[in-house]
Amino acid sequence: MLRGREPQRVAVDALVDRARVGRGGVLVLRGEAGSGKTSLLNAVRGTYDALLCVEVAEVDDDLVALAREVVDTRAVLLIATEGEPRGLPSVTLDPLDAETSVRVLHDLRPGLPSTLAADLADLACGNPLALVELAGSLTSAQLGGIAPAPDVLPENSSLRRRWRARFESLSPQAKHVVALAAVDEEVDAETLDLDAVTEAGPLFDRRRLVRSALQFDVPLPQRRRAHAELAETLPPGSRRTWHQAVLTRDAGLADVLTAHAEHARRCGDFATAARDHDRAATLTTDPEQKAHHLLRAAADHWAHGAPHRSRAVLRTATKMTATPELRALMDLVVGGIDLGESLPDVAADRLIRAAKGLVGTRRELAVAALGFAGEAASIAGDHRRYTAVAEFAREIRAHDEPAATRLTLDHLVGMLATFDGRHDEALPALRSVVGLADQVPGPQARIWGSQAAYVLGDATRSFEMATSAVTAARESGFTALVPWALVYRALSALLLDQHAAALTAATEGVHAATAIGQHNAVVDHLTILALLAALRGDSATALDRIDTATEQITQRGLTRPGTFGAWAFACVDLARDRPADALERLRLNPGHAGIKVMAAPHVVEAAVACGRPSTGDRALEPYERWAGSTGSTARLALSHRCHGLLESGTADEHFEEAIRLHRASGTALELAKTELLYGNRLRRGRKPKAAREHLRDAVHIFQSYQADHWVDRARAELRAAGDSTGEPKDHPSLTPQQAQIARLVAEGATNREVAARLFLSHRTVEHHLRNIFARLGVRSRVELTRRLDDSV
C-alpha cells in the first residue's frame, strides 16, 4: 500500500543510504490513523541491520534523546506518530489525491467500475487504510451496480474501532464536542471549549470519512443533544433550520430549506445549495417531490464540480419518478457529467433525448442540452450526430428567440456550417454569437463566444472572452465550466503566439479538470500541451504528453483531442526530419474535421518535403477557404507560406506576403518558421545573401522563444548559406517549461514530484533539469534555488 507514498519512501531510503557510510539519523513519519505509516515501516524493515522502527502516540523526551544518539552513526531511527515531531526531521503522509485513490482502488479490486471507484475515493478522503477497508467490504450487488456504494466504513473497520475506543476514553465535554462535529461539518472550533477540542483531537474532524462513522457510533442521546444545542444557538439560516427539523421531523421545514438552497444557488454557493436540497429531500415523504429535491441537489453537485456525488444522488432519484419532465432533467444532468468524464457519443445521445423531452416545457434548458450535445458530438468527432443536433436547433428556433437561447442556437448552426466548409453561412451566425456573448450573463455564454471568435480568427477577442469565462465560472461557483473555459484560453493564446500564456492555461486546465474528475477535459488539455511542446521543437515533452493521453483517447473515443495529439505527433515528426511519417499520420487519421483543417499548413510542409505537392494542394484548399472567409491575418500568413512552399514562379511573393502578415499579426514564432523555410528555399536557389538575412532573423526569434531545436536548425542553415555569425552564445533565460520545472525544484519538489505535477515522465524531467543547469550555469539544486531567489 505504498502507491502515492513514493516521495516518503525516497526520503527513508536516502537516510538508510547515508547511514551505511556513518551518517545515520532520525526521521519522523507523521500522518493520521490509516495514512500508511505502518505500511511504510513494514516496507523498509529488514533492509538494514541497524534500522529501528518505532510507532508511538507522541514523541516523548526519551525518543528525542535516542534520536540525538543515532546522529552520525550507522544507525537509523524511524518514528511513526500522529503527533508532533518535537523538532526532529520529519515527513508528512498527507491524504492521497482523488486520482491516486482511484488507482489504489483499482489495484485492490481490478475491474472496479469507475463510478463506484469515484464514490469510494470521495468517502475515503485520501486515507489509504479506508480505501483498503472499503474495497474489501464491497458486495456483489455493489460491484454489479445493483446496490448503492457504501456511505460509511464497514462496522468492523479497524479505523472505526480505533475511533470508537478513542471516543469512549474522552471526557463528557470532549464527547459533546465530537458529537457537534459529527452532526454539523461547519461547527466552528473557535466557538467551543478549547481544551475539549484539543482532547478530542482527530475525532474533531469535519471530513466525510470521520463524520459518517461518528454519525453511527456516537450514541443517539448525545447526537440529539448536539442537534438541540445547535438548533438553539445558531443564527437564523439553513443550518439552524436543519437541526430543528432533525429534532421535530417537521416536513414543512423542507420548503424553508428549499428557499435557503435557491438563495445559495443565486449567490454561487452550489455546495451549500446541494446540501440544503438534499436535506429537504430527507424531510419529504412524497416520492415525486423527493425526486425533485434530489434532482436539484444533483444539478448543484455537478455545477460545484462533484460529479460522483451528483451521480450517487441521481441513482436514488431515478427510482422515485417516471414523470417525463423529471426524467428529461435527469438526462440533462447525467449527460453533462458524461460530457466531462465518460463516452462522449453516449453523452450526446442522452443530451439529445433530454432536449427533446424538455423542448415543450422547459425550452431554455432544452436549448442548453442541445449546446452540450453539440460539444459532446464534437469531442467524439461525430459529424452525423453534430448535424442532427444542429438541424434540431434550426427546427425549434423561434422568430422572437431570447438572447440566451439565440446565442446557443446560432452557435450550433454556425459551427456545423464551418465543419461543412460553408463559411459564408457560418460567418453571420458566429458573429451573432460573439455579439450576444456580451449581452448574456454567465460563463457559458462567454465560452460559446470565445469558441466562435476563435473560429472567426479573432484571437484577441477569443482570449478576452475565455479569460472572462474562467473568471465568471469561478466567481459564480460554476466549477464544472472552468476546465472548458481554459481550453479556449489556451487555444486563443496559441493563436496569438503567446506560448507562455497558453502553457499556463493548459497546465491549469489539467489540474482543474483532474480535481473534479473531468477526465475528458484532462485529455483535451494534455494534447494542447503536447502541441505547444511540439511547435517549439521539444519532442520529448510532446511525446510524453501524447503517451499519457493516448489510453484515454482510445478507451473513450475522444476524437477531437486525438486529432490534436496526431497533429502534435506530426509536428514532432517534422522536427525530426521524418516528413513521410508526419504526412501519413495527418493524412490517414480520420479525425476531427475542424482540427484537420487547422493542421493543413503542416500537411503542406510534410507533403512538399516528401515530393508530393498534390497532396499539399488538396489539404490547403479547405484551409484557404476558411482563412479567406474569416480574414484572420495570422491564418492568411500561413496560407501564403503554404503557397510559397507549393509554387515555384510566385514563391518569393507568397513568402514575402506571409512575412508581412506574420509581423502584422504579431505571430513571431510562426514568422521565424516561415523565414527558416524561405531561407532554405533561397539557399537552394543559390541566393545565399538573401537567405542569410531571413535565417539570422529566424535564429534571433527562436532564441527569444527558447526553441532550442529550431535555433540549431536555423544555425545549420546559416552555416550552409556561408555565415558563421549565428554560432551559439550564452542565453541564460529559460523556456516556459523549464521555468516551471525550475520553480518546482526550487520549492523542494523531487524529480518524480515534478513529473507528476507537470504530466511528464521522470526521464524527461531529468533531461530538462540538465539543460536548466547548463543554461543557468549552476551545478546543484541548491545553487539553482539560490539563483532563482536572487532573481526575485
Side-chain angles (χ1 to χ4, degrees), residues 36 73-74 79-80 176 215 232 280 288 319 383 433 454 467 566 624 665 681 698 718 762 770:
T73 70
R74 294 179 62 86
I79 304 171
H176 182 58
Q215 284 169 353
E232 182 178 347
E288 288 290 320
K319 301 172 184 177
H383 189 68
V433 173
Y454 180 83
T467 302
E624 193 166 31
S665 63
R681 169 70 69 98
L718 261 179
H762 183 251
R770 285 194 297 270

Side-chain angles (χ1 to χ4, degrees), residues 463-475:
F463 186 79
E464 290 171 350
M465 283 195 169
T467 302
S468 176
V470 173
T471 302
R474 287 178 171 148
E475 289 180 347

Side-chain angles (χ1 to χ4, degrees), residues 50 53 101 254 286 310 376 456 469 483 563 631 663 734 779:
C53 298
S101 295
D286 177 69
S310 184
L456 291 169
T563 311
R663 287 175 174 154
L734 301 178
R779 293 176 295 177

Side-chain angles (χ1 to χ4, degrees), residues 492-672:
S492 55
L494 180 55
L495 184 57
L496 288 167
D497 228 21
Q498 295 178 6
H499 280 235
L503 177 67
T504 299
T507 303
E508 186 179 341
V510 173
H511 291 293
T514 300
I516 60 176
Q518 287 190 2
H519 309 299
N520 296 345
V522 170
V523 175
D524 261 331
H525 284 288
L526 280 174
T527 53
I528 292 171
L529 286 169
L531 182 60
L532 275 165
L535 291 172
R536 290 197 312 274
D538 185 354
S539 299
T541 297
L543 293 176
D544 257 359
R545 284 165 174 162
I546 293 169
D547 185 59
T548 302
T550 295
E551 182 179 357
Q552 300 299 323
I553 289 171
T554 303
Q555 286 181 355
R556 295 195 179 90
L558 307 178
T559 299
R560 185 175 71 189
T563 311
F564 268 121
W567 183 7
F569 213 141
C571 290
V572 170
D573 289 330
L574 286 170
R576 292 180 169 181
D577 288 322
R578 298 195 302 231
D581 291 343
L583 184 61
E584 292 306 296
R585 199 178 304 281
L586 289 170
R587 192 175 66 85
L588 297 180
N589 187 310
H592 186 281
I595 296 170
K596 289 192 74 172
V597 172
M598 290 164 58
H602 290 101
V603 176
V604 172
E605 186 179 340
V608 170
C610 292
R612 297 168 60 181
S614 60
T615 301
D617 280 327
R618 288 194 296 273
L620 179 58
E621 184 180 349
Y623 181 88
E624 193 166 31
R625 287 202 307 271
W626 177 42
S629 68
T630 64
S632 166
T633 309
R635 289 172 182 153
L636 287 171
L638 293 175
S639 179
H640 278 287
R641 181 170 84 191
C642 290
H643 279 292
L645 290 170
L646 288 166
E647 299 174 15
S648 54
T650 59
D652 288 350
E653 289 88 343
H654 282 298
F655 272 118
E656 293 293 347
E657 180 63 5
I659 289 168
R660 185 187 71 79
L661 291 170
H662 282 311
R663 287 175 174 154
S665 63
T667 50
L669 189 63
E670 290 297 345
L671 167 62

Side-chain angles (χ1 to χ4, degrees), residues 167-431:
F167 179 79
E168 291 303 324
S169 71
L170 296 176
S171 67
Q173 186 57 33
K175 285 181 178 179
H176 182 58
V177 162
V178 172
L180 289 170
V183 302
D184 193 319
E185 70 272 20
E186 296 182 47
V187 168
D188 186 355
E190 294 183 1
T191 66
L192 304 175
D193 184 290
L194 179 59
D195 291 337
V197 172
T198 302
E199 182 188 350
L203 294 187
F204 188 79
D205 192 326
R206 275 71 66 88
R207 290 178 307 161
R208 185 182 172 206
L209 175 67
V210 181
R211 287 185 61 251
S212 62
L214 292 174
Q215 284 169 353
F216 282 94
D217 294 337
V218 172
L220 179 59
Q222 288 172 310
R223 279 184 278 139
R224 289 189 64 82
R225 179 188 164 203
H227 281 297
E229 179 177 319
L230 293 168
E232 182 178 347
T233 60
L234 285 174
S238 64
R239 288 172 61 206
R240 181 174 182 172
T241 300
W242 168 243
H243 294 295
Q244 291 171 339
V246 171
L247 293 170
T248 64
R249 305 310 298 177
D250 181 358
L253 292 176
D255 292 337
V256 180
L257 285 170
T258 299
H260 285 305
E262 292 304 314
H263 176 73
R265 177 186 284 183
R266 289 192 296 272
C267 294
D269 187 355
F270 289 97
T272 296
R275 182 201 67 191
D276 289 345
H277 279 308
D278 197 39
R279 287 174 171 177
T282 302
L283 297 175
T284 304
T285 56
D286 177 69
E288 288 290 320
Q289 194 60 34
K290 184 184 284 284
H292 196 78
H293 287 309
L294 291 173
L295 175 60
R296 290 178 176 178
D300 291 331
H301 279 308
W302 172 73
H304 175 57
H308 45 284
R309 294 192 184 182
S310 184
R311 282 191 191 277
V313 171
L314 286 170
R315 280 195 291 272
T316 302
T318 301
K319 301 172 184 177
M320 296 181 175
T321 180
T323 303
E325 182 178 323
L326 285 181
R327 301 292 291 194
L329 288 169
M330 290 177 187
D331 277 336
L332 172 56
V333 178
V334 175
I337 297 171
D338 286 343
L339 176 61
E341 67 175 31
S342 192
L343 301 174
D345 53 349
V346 173
D349 287 345
R350 187 184 292 275
L351 288 161
I352 293 170
R353 187 172 71 195
K356 290 179 177 178
L358 293 169
V359 71
T361 56
R362 305 287 294 275
R363 195 168 182 281
E364 184 175 346
L365 291 178
V367 172
L370 279 181
F372 287 130
E375 178 67 7
S378 179
I379 292 172
D382 191 328
H383 189 68
R384 179 188 64 80
R385 277 190 175 91
Y386 200 99
T387 301
V389 171
E391 289 302 326
F392 187 31
R394 198 190 304 272
E395 289 172 15
I396 67 171
R397 181 168 185 141
H399 70 278
D400 56 347
E401 201 71 56
T405 50
R406 186 162 81 249
L407 182 151
T408 304
L409 296 172
D410 280 349
H411 183 271
L412 289 167
V413 171
M415 290 302 296
L416 176 63
T418 297
F419 295 151
D420 286 343
R422 296 180 281 110
H423 300 295
D424 289 343
E425 296 178 36
L427 292 181
L430 295 177
R431 286 169 181 157

Side-chain angles (χ1 to χ4, degrees), residues 35-95:
S35 61
K37 302 184 298 295
T38 301
S39 296
L40 186 54
L41 292 181
N42 289 338
V44 296
R45 289 183 201 274
T47 62
Y48 188 57
D49 292 339
L51 184 66
L52 309 175
C53 298
V54 181
E55 294 190 60
V56 297
E58 299 290 342
V59 178
D60 58 19
D61 291 339
D62 291 338
L63 278 175
V64 172
L66 178 59
R68 294 194 188 101
E69 293 179 11
V70 301
V71 172
D72 291 334
T73 70
R74 294 179 62 86
V76 169
L77 173 62
L78 297 180
I79 304 171
T81 182
E82 294 181 45
E84 295 298 319
R86 295 277 303 276
L88 299 178
S90 67
V91 293
T92 301
L93 282 67
D94 293 318

